[in-house]
Amino acid sequence: MKSISLLALGLLAASTAVAQTRPVAADTVVTPAEAPATPAANPLTPYGFVDGYYGYDIKHAATNDRPSFLYSHDRQNEFTVNNAVLGLRYDNGQVRGALGLHAGTYVSANYAAEDQVLKHLYEAYAGFRPFQKAWLDVGVFGSHIGFESAISKDNWTLTRSLMAENSPYYEAGARFTYEVDPKLTLTALVLNGWQNIRENNQKKAVGTQLQWRPTEKLLINSSTFYGNEQPQDLAKRRRYFHDFYVSYAATERLSVAGVFDVGKQEQAARGSKADTWHTGAASYAISWPRNGRPQPARSTTMPTTASSFPRFRPSLPMPTFK
C-alpha cells in the first residue's frame, strides 16, 4: 500500500518533555531516570500535547483502516487525533511521580488488548531515591527500548519506523536507575511483559539499558529484553531482544543516528527453528535558526534490512512472527 500524504499537527500545551528513555535529538537525552541537579522551585509540572492528522492512501481497501502493523496515524481519509496527552509530574529531587492520560487513534490501536480503563493511562508511576544517584520507580512508564517515542514532537520524523511500531512504546513494572557518573547511566527493569500493563502469565520479564555519552555530541545506547510473552495456558516461548543505537551531533544544525534491532523468539515445539527479527536504519536531522530561535528539524530515515517481520504487539492474542 502506498501512502501519498500524512499530515499531522502537534500542539504543545506545556513545555515539558515526555517520559521516554530515548533521545529526542542527538544532542539531548531525555530520560525519566534523570533528576535535576537542584530541585525546581515548584516540583509540580503540568504538561500536554495534541497530535491531529489527516492521511490518505491511494491503494486502500474499502476501509478507513491502514495496514494492521501500523499503530500511529493508522487511519486514512479521516480527520482525527492520533494522540492527545494531558498529565502532571512531581519531582522534589528525592521523591517523584507522574500521572498522564491520553486518547486517540494511537491508543485505540496500540492498547487494544488492555483493560478499557487502563488503556487511557499514558503514564502512572511513583519513585524515590534509595540512595544518592539512584531512582526506583514503580508503575506505568515509557519504554526503555527504541530511538522513537509515541509523542510525535520528540521524534526526528513525524511518522514512525517499522522498528518503532513493532517494539514497545510503554511498559509496566519496576525500574531501577543508577547514574555511575554524568556520562554513564545504567537501568535494570522487572516488567509485566512486552508492552502490556496487565500481566498475561505468571512469569515476569526483565530488561536492561545502558546509556553512555563519552562526549557532549555522542550518545551510545544498548537496551535488552528477555521474557515469555505467551498467555498462561499456552506453551512457553521465550523472547530475546536487543536494541542498539548511536546518535551524533555533527554540528549545531546537523545530527545523525544509526539504529539496529535484533530479536529471537522460541517456537512452541522444542527443536524448531526460532522466529527472528533484525532491522536497521540511518537517520539525519537538520535544524536551522530563524529570528534567533531554533526551528523544527527536517529529517530523513533510511531503513536497511528486515527479516521475518514480527507481530510483537500485545493487541494480537498470540504474538507471532511473519
Side-chain angles (χ1 to χ4, degrees):
M1 178 178 293
K2 296 181 179 179
S3 176
I4 63 168
S5 71
L6 179 60
L7 177 63
L9 174 64
L11 174 63
L12 179 63
S15 57
T16 182
V18 297
Q20 281 288 338
T21 54
R22 58 176 62 82
V24 299
D27 59 349
T28 304
V29 181
V30 177
T31 315
E34 295 177 350
T38 58
N42 184 359
L44 284 174
T45 305
Y47 65 92
F49 177 78
V50 176
D51 176 8
Y53 72 100
Y54 172 85
Y56 185 80
D57 287 334
I58 296 178
K59 296 183 178 180
H60 64 82
T63 177
N64 294 102
D65 291 320
R66 301 188 69 219
S68 60
F69 52 80
L70 299 177
Y71 301 88
S72 302
H73 309 100
D74 75 326
R75 300 283 290 171
Q76 71 90 26
N77 196 20
E78 178 178 297
F79 293 96
T80 188
V81 173
N82 180 58
N83 201 8
V85 184
L86 184 64
L88 187 68
R89 293 202 180 102
Y90 178 87
D91 187 347
N92 68 1
Q94 296 297 320
V95 176
R96 67 182 181 182
L99 176 62
L101 305 178
H102 63 170
T105 59
Y106 157 77
V107 178
S108 298
N110 200 34
Y111 291 70
E114 300 290 0
D115 178 87
Q116 292 301 303
V117 175
L118 296 178
K119 69 189 297 183
H120 291 290
L121 287 177
Y122 170 67
E123 61 178 355
Y125 67 87
F128 70 99
R129 284 193 180 278
F131 50 87
Q132 190 178 13
K133 294 186 177 182
W135 280 104
L136 178 61
D137 301 304
V138 178
V140 180
F141 38 77
S143 171
H144 73 291
I145 294 174
F147 187 68
E148 300 169 69
S149 82
I151 305 298
S152 298
K153 74 176 185 64
D154 291 341
N155 297 324
W156 287 12
T157 55
L158 171 64
T159 53
R160 313 294 187 266
S161 67
L162 293 182
M163 287 186 296
E165 291 289 79
N166 287 273
S167 59
Y169 283 123
Y170 67 91
E171 296 168 331
R175 175 181 62 196
F176 177 79
T177 305
Y178 180 69
E179 183 182 314
V180 179
D181 58 50
K183 295 183 178 181
L184 178 63
T185 301
L186 305 177
T187 303
L189 306 99
V190 178
L191 304 167
N192 286 343
W194 178 273
Q195 189 179 259
N196 48 293
I197 298 176
R198 300 186 68 174
E199 182 62 274
N200 65 347
N201 58 43
Q202 296 299 310
K203 303 295 183 180
K204 291 292 178 283
V206 295
T208 64
Q209 183 179 34
L210 181 153
Q211 286 198 330
W212 180 42
R213 184 181 285 278
T215 70
E216 292 184 356
K217 295 184 176 182
L218 179 64
L219 172 68
I220 301 173
N221 180 92
S222 173
S223 300
T224 65
F225 175 93
Y226 166 78
N228 169 39
E229 292 308 295
Q230 298 302 297
Q232 183 65 29
D233 56 347
L234 296 180
K236 180 168 63 176
R237 298 180 64 190
R238 286 171 292 194
R239 179 176 299 170
Y240 310 85
F241 193 86
H242 182 241
D243 163 64
F244 177 83
Y245 62 79
V246 177
S247 63
Y248 179 70
T251 69
E252 291 184 356
R253 299 186 181 183
L254 175 64
S255 298
V256 295
V259 189
F260 181 74
D261 287 353
V262 59
K264 181 178 76 170
Q265 180 168 282
E266 297 174 340
Q267 294 284 5
R270 293 296 175 257
S272 300
K273 185 178 180 180
D275 294 323
T276 59
W277 158 249
H278 57 85
T279 187
S283 304
Y284 70 87
I286 301 175
S287 61
W288 67 101
R290 180 182 300 170
N291 298 326
R293 298 181 180 180
Q295 299 299 308
R298 289 180 177 177
S299 57
T300 297
T301 299
M302 297 165 287
T304 54
T305 61
S307 175
S308 299
F309 185 81
R311 291 309 305 269
F312 270 156
R313 293 295 192 198
S315 55
L316 294 181
M318 294 176 57
T320 59
F321 290 72
K322 288 185 178 179

